């Protein structure tokens, strides 16, 4: 089905003209929505700190956190700086034929994030939002924030277990 303007894409939900494909925006096509590099890095760091979590859990109202800790009821989201409007690295202005659509898209994402946070908190969950840039700067601090939410403030000074120590511990368990 083609839109009324003769393009190959279906009409947009708003009923106005559709997104315009541009060379400047081609790098955004096909971006991952799950298992992004910052999300994987945070998972590895949290796992190294001894926490175990669930992936792909829909809590309610189509809310799917990136990491879920069901026992302590903690939901962790790793927000991309561009898509969620990071105050430091999010786009400050948009140019081109899709400028207004991008402004609307980012604002809609931010409103949804706030709504989801409020719904989770009302349902008794604690929410941790981690920016992509925080993970890229150093995953240790965001991982410790997750540990504090899951285990409590007394665990804030948790240090990661080195791979050598993990291997030695695994060998000790296997031999004993």
């Amino acid at each position: 089905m083609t839109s009324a303007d003769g393009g190959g894409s279906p009409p947009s939900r708003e009923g106005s003209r559709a997104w315009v494909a541009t060379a400047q925006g081609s790098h955004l096509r096909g971006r991952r929505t799950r298992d992004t590099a910052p999300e994987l890095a945070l998972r590895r760091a949290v796992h190294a700190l001894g926490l175990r979590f669930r992936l792909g859990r829909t809590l309610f109202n189509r809310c799917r956190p990136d990491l879920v800790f069901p026992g302590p009821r903690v939901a962790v989201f790793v927000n991309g700086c561009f898509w969620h409007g990071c105050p430091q690295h999010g786009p400050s202005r948009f140019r081109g034929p899709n400028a207004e659509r991008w402004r609307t898209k980012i604002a809609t994402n931010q409103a949804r994030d706030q709504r989801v946070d409020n719904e989770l908190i009302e349902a008794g969950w604690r929410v941790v939002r981690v920016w992509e840039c925080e993970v890229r700067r150093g995953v240790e601090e965001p991982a410790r924030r997750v540990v504090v939410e899951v285990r409590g403030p007394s665990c804030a000074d948790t240090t990661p277990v080195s791979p050598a120590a993990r291997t030695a511990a695994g060998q000790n368990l296997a031999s004993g």
Side-chain angles (χ1 to χ4, degrees):
M1 180 172 144
T2 60
S3 63
D5 63 0
S9 61
S12 66
R13 285 190 280 213
E14 296 89 33
S16 63
R17 57 189 191 103
W19 286 87
V20 176
T22 62
Q24 296 85 356
S26 64
H27 70 286
L28 298 173
R29 213 168 293 126
R31 286 284 173 140
R32 298 182 76 92
T33 58
R34 292 188 330 219
D35 301 331
T36 62
E39 184 182 330
L40 292 174
L42 183 64
R43 278 194 225 160
R44 280 191 292 271
V46 167
H47 193 272
L49 291 171
L51 296 181
R52 301 303 177 255
F53 46 85
R54 301 289 177 257
L55 301 174
R57 289 276 173 98
T58 301
L59 299 182
F60 60 88
N61 202 8
R62 299 185 327 165
C63 169
R64 283 182 72 156
D66 296 310
L67 300 137
V68 177
F69 298 88
R73 296 176 67 93
V74 175
V76 179
F77 296 88
V78 181
N79 289 350
C81 289
F82 178 82
W83 302 105
H84 295 267
C86 172
Q88 284 184 313
H89 303 103
S92 57
R93 65 177 226 188
F94 297 95
R95 290 176 240 129
N98 298 315
E100 188 53 40
R101 289 180 178 274
W102 279 117
R103 258 190 296 284
T104 302
K105 169 73 174 155
I106 304 297
T108 301
N109 287 351
Q110 291 173 328
R112 184 192 61 232
D113 292 345
Q114 189 61 52
R115 178 184 49 80
V116 164
D117 287 359
N118 292 339
E119 289 174 354
L120 285 170
I121 291 166
E122 285 176 22
W125 286 79
R126 286 173 287 161
V127 178
V128 178
R129 293 246 177 215
V130 177
W131 288 108
E132 167 189 11
C133 58
E134 292 178 282
V135 174
R136 291 189 191 280
R137 259 192 317 266
V139 71
E140 297 80 19
E141 193 278 325
R144 283 193 179 89
R145 281 190 6 233
V146 173
V147 169
V148 166
E149 282 301 319
V150 172
R151 291 189 177 156
S154 63
C155 296
D157 61 349
T158 304
T159 56
V161 179
S162 72
R166 256 185 274 142
T167 303
Q171 289 171 347
N172 290 342
L173 291 174
S175 63

